Amino acid sequence: MTITKQAELDGLKEIDRIVADTMRAMANSMEPGMTAWERGELANRTPSRSARAMTP
């Protein structure tokens, strides 16, 4: 991937923030014995998955 415009870099930085927020929220909420399905449900409930965050 080649980034040629500041807007592209800014977009990637925003995506990085969303991913980091999601991973942090999941890590803080995980418990021993959780199933893969439960972890997936947890990811779907994090604030980073809002429509605002997913809008380009």
Side-chain angles (χ1 to χ4, degrees):
M1 171 185 280
T2 303
I3 300 170
T4 59
K5 299 175 184 164
Q6 184 64 42
E8 294 170 339
L9 180 59
D10 293 343
L12 287 173
K13 287 180 179 181
E14 177 65 11
I15 290 168
D16 286 347
R17 185 194 62 76
I18 292 168
V19 170
D21 287 350
T22 300
M23 290 180 67
R24 192 175 304 109
M26 288 184 65
N28 290 335
S29 299
M30 289 178 64
E31 299 176 3
M34 287 182 84
T35 65
W37 184 84
E38 289 170 323
R39 289 189 305 267
E41 288 296 304
L42 181 62
N44 290 334
R45 290 193 310 262
T46 60
S48 297
R49 305 260 321 164
S50 69
R52 182 202 59 78
M54 302 302 286
T55 303

